[in-house]
Amino acid sequence: MKKGMNGRAAVFLGAMTLAIAGPLFANPARDAIIAKYASEAGVSTFSAKRGKALFMANHTGGKPTTPSCITCHTSNLRGPGSTRVGKPIDAMAVSVTPSRFTDIAKVEKWFGRNCNSVLGRLCTATEKGDVLTYLSSL
Amino acid sequence: MSQPSEKTATTRIWDIFVRMFHWSLVAGIGVAAWTGFIIGPRALDIHVWIGSLAGALVFLRLIWGFTGGTFARFSSFLTGPRQTIHHLRELADKTAPRHLGHNPLGGWMVLALLGVIAGLAATGAYVLGGTFHAGPLAGWVSTSSGMGLRELHEVLAILLLVFIAFHLAGVIFESYRTRENLARAMVTGSKEMRSGDEPQTRLAARPLAFVLTGVFGLGLAVFSGLSMSHRTPPNAPVSVVGTTYEANCTDCHMAYHPSLLPASSWVQIMATLDDHFGEDAWLPPDTVTEISAWLGAHSGEATDSKPALVFSQLNSARPMEITETPFWKRTHAHLPEDMFTTPPVYARGNCAACHEDTKTGWFYPPNIHLPE
């Protein structure tokens, strides 16, 4: 009797975990940030594929020490990155660092800094949306 | 061929305290010289402890000089200039007698050695207090005056080595001259009795007076030392923990303590965040204002510490870089170049890779731990 109860409890807990973990990837604050970029760009969806291409590519317009996003974040986005002075950077993949991209001020600060360092210009709303969509899918 | 088996009569000269004192001091001065001259700042803690012990030993020896038996007493071996010159004349004429205790020159040697060691302990505490704001004088001596006395401490250390050389030369000379192994006498405590030994009325030691004075004196010294050490140094480096500076600037790098650069350098750094050592480190204007004010209030000029003092001398061509200052270059020159370019250090500017106390701003040498 008791065993049966435990089995049912396990199923219930499993369902609860899925119910919580599902929205974890679709955090409302992050959704709002992506929606804001979508309205700025005048589009309805972003492309994770384009985001990945931008993130992984080598660029020439920025500062010579940082030609790419992966100079610091590394190509393994589920693992930690490292700043140029060796300070670890939390993994960019939302599945590993669930708090990523939930604070608009922070997201804007780092896009502002890093787009300038890597590209030598500000990123467009489309580029920001693409990158966020890509990193949220990881 | 037969050896005379007659046992020579001996007499006790050096009591157990004098012998223990002598050989403990030999070991202590050995460790202090090794850590001070050879190992350097990384062994500062050992150097300070052994120096304190040497100071305590000398203090006890001074008390024993008034409470010990005949040969331990200053009154038995500290002679005036006339007797010392007389002894020198006798040595020149080869008529000098054997002395059971210290001869007049040896007596002065003892005083000189004790005096220099006491001076080393005193200047050591002063240098430690001022330079590193540690020990009993941590809050009582300014950095510049503590660092200023370091040279005197070093001169005394060299003087001690010279005196030790004289002492050894004297022991060897006197051992040959009197056909008696003086070093062994300092181990066994006994010397051979000879006809013509000066008649002695031996004074008895007063161990109770010694113990009471010693315990009271050392207790007082430890108590006052500990009480004094609690004083907070004036203009000590500010704490970085919990500041807006820490919250923003440690996203990318360690928190460089504000006292490591003068205010003018911080102004320049905060004005050029768009190209911050090759990266854009943009911050909202109100954050820039807040951090700038905090850095200015706690910069090198506002802080009394060794790092603040030594890094105030900038490389004028690169005033924003601590690692370009003459002091940084001099003190890091012995480290291999590739240590600064590979994990776990990565860069010259990653002080925290080796210095454990970067957030305090003190950079105390024993807190340096080089990566394996």
Side-chain angles (χ1 to χ4, degrees):
Chain A
M1 238 345 222
K2 236 180 163 213
K3 207 167 182 181
M5 286 282 279
N6 281 348
R8 249 180 295 169
V11 170
F12 175 73
L13 276 176
M16 282 297 287
T17 310
L18 273 177
I20 294 166
L24 212 87
F25 286 78
N27 179 297
R30 184 158 48 242
D31 287 348
I33 293 170
I34 293 175
K36 179 180 170 289
Y37 288 143
S39 86
E40 279 177 27
V43 298
S44 55
T45 54
F46 289 113
S47 161
K49 205 179 151 198
R50 279 202 311 263
K52 181 179 183 176
L54 179 72
F55 202 91
M56 297 291 176
N58 269 319
H59 305 272
T60 49
K63 304 201 189 288
T65 45
T66 51
S68 169
C69 308
I70 62 173
T71 305
C72 295
H73 293 296
T74 80
S75 54
N76 173 21
L77 297 172
R78 289 191 184 85
S82 167
T83 71
R84 283 170 48 225
V85 286
K87 187 140 179 137
I89 305 170
D90 289 343
M92 295 306 281
V94 166
S95 58
V96 180
T97 314
S99 61
R100 280 267 178 231
F101 321 124
T102 54
D103 176 349
I104 181 69
K106 209 172 166 185
V107 169
E108 276 291 286
K109 173 170 121 176
W110 286 103
F111 269 132
R113 286 178 167 188
N114 294 352
C115 290
N116 189 33
S117 287
V118 174
L119 303 169
R121 61 170 172 83
L122 295 177
C123 288
T124 64
T126 308
E127 285 169 331
K128 293 178 195 173
D130 286 345
V131 166
L132 291 197
T133 304
Y134 167 56
L135 295 173
S136 303
S137 74
L138 289 174
Chain B
M1 198 169 117
S2 68
Q3 292 286 333
S5 60
E6 190 187 335
K7 196 176 170 230
T8 28
T10 59
T11 178
R12 171 58 48 89
I13 302 299
W14 309 123
D15 61 57
I16 186 71
F17 173 80
V18 167
R19 284 179 281 151
M20 296 267 284
F21 163 80
H22 178 270
W23 296 112
S24 307
L25 203 60
V26 169
I29 297 303
V31 173
W34 178 59
T35 50
F37 283 115
I38 297 170
I39 307 283
R42 281 190 300 126
L44 186 62
D45 281 343
I46 300 170
H47 186 76
V48 165
W49 276 111
I50 211 79
S52 310
L53 287 175
L57 279 174
V58 168
F59 176 72
L60 291 177
R61 180 66 185 90
L62 291 180
I63 299 172
W64 195 237
F66 297 99
T67 56
T70 301
F71 297 108
R73 290 220 187 173
F74 294 127
S75 58
S76 77
F77 63 79
L78 290 185
T79 55
R82 193 172 300 167
Q83 276 170 280
T84 310
I85 291 165
H86 179 69
H87 174 64
L88 280 170
R89 284 224 181 88
E90 285 182 328
L91 282 178
D93 303 345
K94 300 193 188 296
T95 58
R98 181 188 75 145
H99 291 74
L100 276 172
H102 298 295
N103 65 49
L105 282 178
W108 284 110
M109 191 78 251
V110 169
L111 194 69
L113 288 166
L114 292 179
V116 172
I117 294 167
L120 277 164
T123 54
Y126 194 91
V127 172
L128 179 75
T131 309
F132 301 111
H133 296 279
L137 300 179
W140 302 82
V141 182
S142 76
T143 306
S144 57
S145 86
M147 288 177 75
L149 218 65
R150 180 180 159 164
E151 221 159 273
L152 177 60
H153 186 72
E154 288 170 355
V155 167
L156 287 176
I158 291 164
L159 192 63
L160 179 60
L161 295 185
V162 172
F163 282 1
I164 288 171
F166 281 145
H167 171 57
L168 291 175
V171 167
I172 292 166
F173 170 79
E174 191 71 356
S175 293
Y176 275 109
R177 191 183 74 81
T178 62
R179 307 258 170 266
E180 184 168 52
N181 186 336
L182 292 183
R184 195 182 63 193
M186 191 47 84
V187 174
T188 64
S190 299
K191 284 187 175 182
E192 172 190 309
M193 294 218 291
R194 292 180 186 172
S195 62
D197 281 344
E198 65 258 55
Q200 287 284 340
T201 44
R202 296 202 180 181
L203 293 165
R206 290 183 290 153
L208 188 65
F210 169 73
V211 169
L212 289 179
T213 321
V215 167
F216 178 76
L218 282 185
L220 190 69
V222 169
F223 174 78
S224 44
L226 285 176
S227 314
M228 288 175 76
S229 71
H230 287 308
R231 187 185 209 205
T232 310
N235 302 318
V238 73
S239 173
V240 167
V241 180
T243 59
T244 306
Y245 169 78
E246 186 192 32
N248 284 277
C249 302
T250 62
D251 279 337
C252 301
H253 56 69
M254 56 161 281
Y256 296 104
H257 198 275
S259 65
L260 299 184
L261 283 173
S264 57
S265 295
W266 289 121
V267 167
Q268 203 172 338
I269 286 169
M270 294 307 288
T272 55
L273 286 179
D274 59 325
D275 190 5
H276 186 63
F277 299 96
E279 278 182 55
D280 185 330
W282 178 89
L283 283 169
D286 53 342
T287 311
V288 171
T289 308
E290 185 188 346
I291 292 176
S292 297
W294 184 80
L295 289 170
H298 303 290
S299 65
E301 294 95 328
T303 309
D304 186 46
S305 71
K306 183 181 177 187
L309 195 69
V310 295
F311 292 132
S312 67
Q313 202 195 333
L314 298 167
N315 174 344
S316 54
R318 303 174 78 166
M320 298 192 291
E321 287 167 72
I322 297 160
T323 54
E324 290 294 326
T325 58
F327 180 85
W328 195 96
K329 291 195 158 185
R330 194 169 68 243
T331 47
H332 296 76
H334 66 288
L335 296 165
E337 172 67 27
D338 63 351
M339 204 190 87
F340 292 108
T341 52
T342 51
V345 180
Y346 294 96
R348 287 197 151 67
N350 192 10
C351 319
C354 305
H355 292 269
E356 275 178 2
D357 55 352
T358 53
K359 281 191 184 181
T360 67
W362 285 121
F363 287 74
Y364 187 55
N367 291 332
I368 300 168
H369 297 286
L370 296 180
E372 298 291 304

